[in-house]
């Protein structure tokens, strides 16, 4: 088999691993075993996130008994349902549709009794989609703070801490509105560590963070704040409910899909194809281009020394990297990771890679991610691309579009965050 054919087969295998990873965390496939028993009273379904419409479909398919409700998802991520209304709204920057959906959701759960059940369907992206500013904070100011945090390169844990404390619905406040009904929260996790309280800023789960920590994060990134926002973060009466709060007693949260599930499915595909899999981590964080340098170093060690495992093999990782935006180019964190990886590998033979967001959208673009192979840099040079310049301008999308190496899946209706695979041939 010549090198061109090998490269083609490697790229097909990488795409097959991505497909298996996404399929393993499809809410429609995994939700049924986690549904609670029907209550004596009413069942109201609420939820938010990029996977919430697909989760609602799964509930309707398997639920025994009447139900009603409302979930909010990203534009283009809706799915047909019969009893649970699906609303689409703005992500990653909140909009009026998300604000209206949050108000309606609070109204739906108001007045429920102890015999009623609230089934809450939560997935990544819900923080922006379920947008209801706390008293004294305008929607526009909250949008500005959110934009600034996204551009700052702050990790998602810090962004969510701020979101919870500037919200009238997140950080457990939605659960308080459901009292005294029992709340069962089903979670598709997109956060490193898989703490359900961190997914979509935990609207139905107790919050261990504090307003003081949120203020410190905003000051750390030098984000301008109005006097009302500062006053809110200094007011003990506006603090989120904490673990052990008796008002949340009897509630339950269940993880139904995680990055680990996706990585293990991809690893099985690799093994069948004759590649030894190494799941490096399901919770990688940090600047995308720095994470790429680390991955390139491991790939080089494998290729040259068969350490930490012998080739042929595949290195798998998940989690959520970040991008500190300094340029004006297009491209999400996965495109940034892959462009930096290509530069760090310098066309190293026998190494191909894929990086995609499992929700099908890398950042705000129309692709899930992209692919690289040993010839990527040479092909870029042949058509005159300034590769370091594109990286400096945060224009990974431009690089991969020019090469025809974007991976376009469309919305997958799930979300366990980044998926990366580096294939190393013998």
């Amino acid at each position: 088999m010549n090198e061109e054919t090998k490269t083609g087969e490697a790229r097909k295998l990488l795409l097959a691993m991505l497909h298996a990873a996404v399929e393993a965390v499809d809410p429609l496939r995994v939700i049924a075993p986690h549904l609670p028993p029907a209550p004596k009273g009413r069942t109201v379904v609420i939820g938010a996130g990029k996977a919430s419409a697909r989760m609602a479909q799964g509930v309707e398919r398997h639920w025994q008994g009447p139900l009603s409700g409302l979930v909010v998802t990203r534009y283009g991520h809706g799915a047909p349902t019969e009893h649970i209304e699906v609303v689409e709204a703005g992500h990653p920057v909140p909009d009026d549709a998300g604000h209206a959906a949050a108000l309606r959701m609070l109204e739906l759960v108001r007045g429920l009794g102890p015999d009623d059940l609230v089934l809450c369907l939560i997935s990544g992206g819900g923080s922006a989609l379920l947008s209801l500013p706390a008293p004294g904070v305008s929607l526009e100011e909250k949008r500005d703070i959110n934009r600034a945090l996204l551009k700052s390169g702050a990790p998602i844990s810090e962004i969510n801490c701020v979101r919870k404390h500037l919200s009238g619905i997140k950080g457990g406040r939605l659960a308080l509105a459901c009292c005294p009904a029992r709340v069962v929260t089903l979670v598709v996790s997109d956060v490193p560590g898989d703490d359900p309280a961190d997914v979509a800023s935990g609207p139905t789960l107790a919050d261990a963070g504090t307003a003081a920590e949120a203020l410190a994060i905003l000051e750390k990134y030098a984000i301008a704040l109005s006097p009302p926002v500062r006053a809110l973060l200094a007011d003990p009466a506006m603090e989120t409910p904490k673990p052990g709060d008796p008002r949340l007693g009897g509630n339950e949260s269940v993880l139904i899909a995680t990055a680990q599930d996706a990585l293990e499915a991809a690893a099985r595909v690799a093994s069948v194809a004759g590649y030894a899999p190494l799941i490096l981590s399901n919770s990688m964080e940090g600047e995308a281009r720095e994470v790429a340098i680390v991955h390139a170093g491991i790939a080089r060690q494998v290729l040259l020394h068969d350490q930490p495992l012998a080739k042929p093999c595949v290195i798998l990782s998940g989690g959520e990297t970040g991008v500190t935006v300094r340029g004006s180019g297009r491209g999400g964190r996965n495109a940034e990771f892959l462009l930096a990886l290509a530069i760090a590998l310098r066309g190293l033979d026998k190494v191909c890679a894929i990086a995609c967001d499992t929700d099908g959208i890398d950042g705000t673009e129309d692709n899930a991610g992209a692919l690289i192979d040993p010839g990527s840099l040479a092909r870029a040079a042949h058509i005159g691309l300034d590769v370091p310049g594109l990286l400096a301008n945060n224009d990974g999308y431009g690089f991969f579009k020019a090469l025809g190496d974007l991976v376009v899946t469309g919305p997958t209706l799930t979300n366990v965050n980044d998926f990366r695979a580096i294939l190393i041939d013998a």
Side-chain angles (χ1 to χ4, degrees), residues 51-121:
S52 64
R54 186 74 161 173
M55 295 172 81
Q57 277 189 317
V59 171
E60 288 192 348
R61 179 174 293 185
H62 299 286
W63 190 255
Q64 301 298 316
L67 50 75
S68 61
L70 167 70
V71 300
V72 57
T73 191
R74 181 176 180 167
Y75 291 118
H77 291 244
T81 52
E82 294 183 20
H83 307 290
I84 303 166
E85 183 182 355
V86 175
V87 171
E88 296 185 5
H91 180 281
V93 178
D95 68 1
D96 292 338
H99 180 260
L103 289 172
R104 290 183 57 203
M105 210 169 285
L106 288 173
E107 188 62 32
L108 275 177
V109 300
R110 187 171 287 118
L112 294 177
D115 289 334
D116 298 325
L117 170 70
V118 176
L119 190 58
C120 187
L121 312 177

Side-chain angles (χ1 to χ4, degrees), residues 302-320:
V302 170
L303 190 62
L304 298 179
H305 302 290
D306 284 327
Q307 296 171 337
L309 74 169
K311 53 188 178 293
C313 64
V314 61
I315 299 166
L316 295 159
S317 68
E320 181 170 10

Side-chain angles (χ1 to χ4, degrees), residues 207-270:
D207 174 32
T210 66
E213 290 170 346
L215 181 59
I217 291 165
L218 291 165
E219 291 176 340
K220 172 182 173 181
Y221 295 103
I223 294 173
L225 302 176
S226 68
V229 169
R230 286 191 175 275
L232 172 72
L233 296 176
D235 185 355
M238 298 304 294
E239 186 58 91
T240 51
K242 303 304 174 195
D245 190 313
R247 294 171 295 179
L248 307 185
N251 292 353
E252 181 184 2
S253 65
V254 183
L255 287 167
I256 69 168
T258 67
Q260 183 67 20
D261 299 327
L263 294 172
E264 288 180 358
R268 289 191 289 271
V269 171

Side-chain angles (χ1 to χ4, degrees), residues 293-351:
I293 291 170
V294 172
H295 281 68
I298 296 169
R300 186 172 289 104
Q301 188 72 9
V302 170
L303 190 62
L304 298 179
H305 302 290
D306 284 327
Q307 296 171 337
L309 74 169
K311 53 188 178 293
C313 64
V314 61
I315 299 166
L316 295 159
S317 68
E320 181 170 10
T321 61
V323 175
T324 301
V325 179
R326 298 183 176 90
S328 58
R330 297 174 63 187
R333 60 183 179 264
N334 289 289
E336 177 118 344
F337 167 86
L338 275 178
L339 181 52
L341 181 68
I343 293 170
L345 291 172
R346 301 179 187 90
L348 205 61
D349 285 343
K350 301 178 181 178
V351 181

